[in-house]
């Protein structure tokens, strides 16, 4: 389910004070990182990720891989940091506005 612009704005405000939970290293986005991100999204719903160095195309490829592998939504990307959101259907932690 895609998030609305008002929900995206709300999630960006919540993510402002968060620190990156996942830090990508030189190998970039690997299946092991994908598994850890899946666990983090299940637990937190809103997660910041610090991407590894590289050009913009490489970072976009890493983000695409992470989103496709977890089914998360891209809330925002600023430089080397991306914020992802995935609703926990069993135990929702964040109340989203309509």
């Amino acid at each position: 389910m895609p998030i609305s612009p008002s929900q995206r704005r709300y999630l960006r405000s919540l993510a402002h004070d968060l620190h990156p939970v996942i830090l990508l290293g030189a190998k970039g986005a690997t299946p092991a990182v994908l598994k850890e991100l899946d666990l983090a999204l299940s637990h937190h719903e809103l997660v910041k990720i610090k991407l590894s160095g590289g050009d913009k195309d490489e970072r976009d490829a890493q983000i695409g891989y992470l989103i496709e592998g977890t089914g998360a939504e891209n809330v925002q990307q600023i430089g080397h940091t991306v914020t992802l959101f995935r609703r926990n259907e069993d135990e929702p932690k964040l109340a989203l506005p309509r």
Side-chain angles (χ1 to χ4, degrees):
M1 167 184 124
I3 55 178
S4 69
S6 64
Q7 291 171 336
R8 186 176 308 277
R9 201 169 31 253
Y10 174 71
L11 290 171
R12 281 196 323 247
S13 71
L14 291 178
H16 180 74
D17 294 330
L18 293 179
H19 295 286
V21 174
I22 306 286
L23 303 173
L24 296 184
K27 293 183 180 180
T30 63
V33 170
L34 198 62
K35 185 176 178 183
E36 287 300 318
L37 177 59
D38 189 50
L39 289 172
L41 284 168
S42 296
H43 188 263
H44 299 289
E45 290 187 332
L46 188 65
V47 175
K48 258 190 188 177
I49 302 164
K50 183 79 170 177
L51 302 170
S52 61
D55 62 351
K56 184 168 176 38
D57 294 333
E58 184 179 333
R59 289 193 307 266
D60 288 344
Q62 290 175 356
I63 293 169
Y65 176 75
L66 295 174
I67 289 173
E68 185 179 315
T70 59
E73 295 268 344
N74 186 351
V75 174
Q76 97 177 341
Q77 176 186 357
I78 298 176
H80 291 270
T81 305
V82 66
T83 305
L84 300 180
F85 172 77
R86 185 181 71 195
R87 168 68 87 205
N88 185 342
E89 297 299 331
D90 298 332
E91 298 176 26
K93 308 224 181 340
L94 299 174
L96 292 178
R98 295 225 175 249

